[in-house]
């Protein structure tokens, strides 16, 4: 039952993460394109009902993931089990901080938690020493988690294709996206109101 709940909440979050990552990739076409896409998609994901479901999914994912990891700890028999737990653990850490920081930015600092809010730490020394690995590892961890799930599903289906090779391709895609997004976000000019607002 917990595994099913974890899977459903994960799919809910993944649907948003896909849009969110696409939004970040668009930084390569300029800040205006990035923000325009963000404002268009916010109409959907910032609707009170959708946003409430996303926040509930995040909370559910963290709690159910910790329960599953605790139960699985003694039975980790291969690297895919271990990497699924490790990547899930980091994603729980990231989601807890990141979602909290967005809510603090909106309701405490009362700023628009847009591109500049997220990229401020990437463009300030010494903050970037924390934020570069913080964001980069989050993207890679997401793709590692997806890759391990894909591997298990393909093994269950007894696919003729090599699931380990497919999992590696998924992970390499995550690494590539992490590099593209970080390169795109580093070097932009951050407005003064977004500087030194704390961990994001």
């Amino acid at each position: 039952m917990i595994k099913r709940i974890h899977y459903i909440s994960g799919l809910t979050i993944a649907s948003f993460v896909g849009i969110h990552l696409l939004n970040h990739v668009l930084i390569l076409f300029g800040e205006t394109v990035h923000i325009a896409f963000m404002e268009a998609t916010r109409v959907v994901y910032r609707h009170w009902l959708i946003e409430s479901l996303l926040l509930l999914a995040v909370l559910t994912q963290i709690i159910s993931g910790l329960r599953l990891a605790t139960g699985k700890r003694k039975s980790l028999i291969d690297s895919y089990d271990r990497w699924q737990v490790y990547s899930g653990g980091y994603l729980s850490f990231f989601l807890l901080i990141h979602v909290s920081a967005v809510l603090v930015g909106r309701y405490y600092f009362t700023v628009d938690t847009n591109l500049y809010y997220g990229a401020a730490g990437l463009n300030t020394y010494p903050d970037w020493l924390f934020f570069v690995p913080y964001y980069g590892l989050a993207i890679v961890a997401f793709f590692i988690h997806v890759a391990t799930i894909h591997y298990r599903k393909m093994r269950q289906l007894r696919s003729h294709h090599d699931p380990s090779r497919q999992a590696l391709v998924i992970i390499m895609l995550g690494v590539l996206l992490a590099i593209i997004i970080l390169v795109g976000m580093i070097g932009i000019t951050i407005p003064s109101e977004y500087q030194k607002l704390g961990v994001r």
Side-chain angles (χ1 to χ4, degrees), residues 4 33 44 88 97 109 129 160 175 183 186 199:
R4 183 66 177 170
V33 174
V44 177
I97 294 179
F109 292 122
L129 295 172
H160 295 296
V175 172
V183 168
I186 293 172
V199 174

Side-chain angles (χ1 to χ4, degrees), residues 120-171:
L122 292 169
N123 291 277
T124 307
Y125 179 82
D127 296 3
W128 67 264
L129 295 172
F130 168 78
F131 284 106
V132 168
Y134 168 73
Y135 281 123
L137 286 174
I139 297 171
V140 175
F142 173 77
F143 279 86
I144 289 175
H145 210 66
V146 170
T148 58
I149 295 169
H150 175 79
Y151 175 82
R152 294 293 178 213
K153 294 294 183 182
M154 291 300 100
R155 286 289 299 272
Q156 290 174 2
L157 294 174
R158 298 186 178 182
S159 171
H160 295 296
H161 301 287
D162 183 0
S164 60
R165 181 174 295 180
Q166 293 174 345
L168 181 60
V169 170
I170 293 171
I171 294 170

Side-chain angles (χ1 to χ4, degrees), residues 16 20 24 38 42 45-46 51 54-55 58 93-119 131 134-135 185 194 197-200:
F16 171 75
H20 200 56
H24 284 320
M38 180 199 69
R42 272 183 175 180
Y45 69 75
R46 280 207 173 176
E51 188 169 51
L54 283 171
L55 291 173
V58 168
F93 161 77
F94 178 82
L95 286 171
L96 189 61
I97 294 179
H98 194 63
V99 172
S100 298
V102 170
L103 295 177
V104 168
R106 283 167 61 181
Y107 298 112
Y108 180 74
F109 292 122
T110 62
V111 296
D112 185 0
T113 53
N114 57 19
L115 165 66
Y116 302 115
Y117 184 73
F131 284 106
Y134 168 73
Y135 281 123
M185 294 180 73
Y194 290 97
L197 288 178
V199 174
R200 288 163 296 279

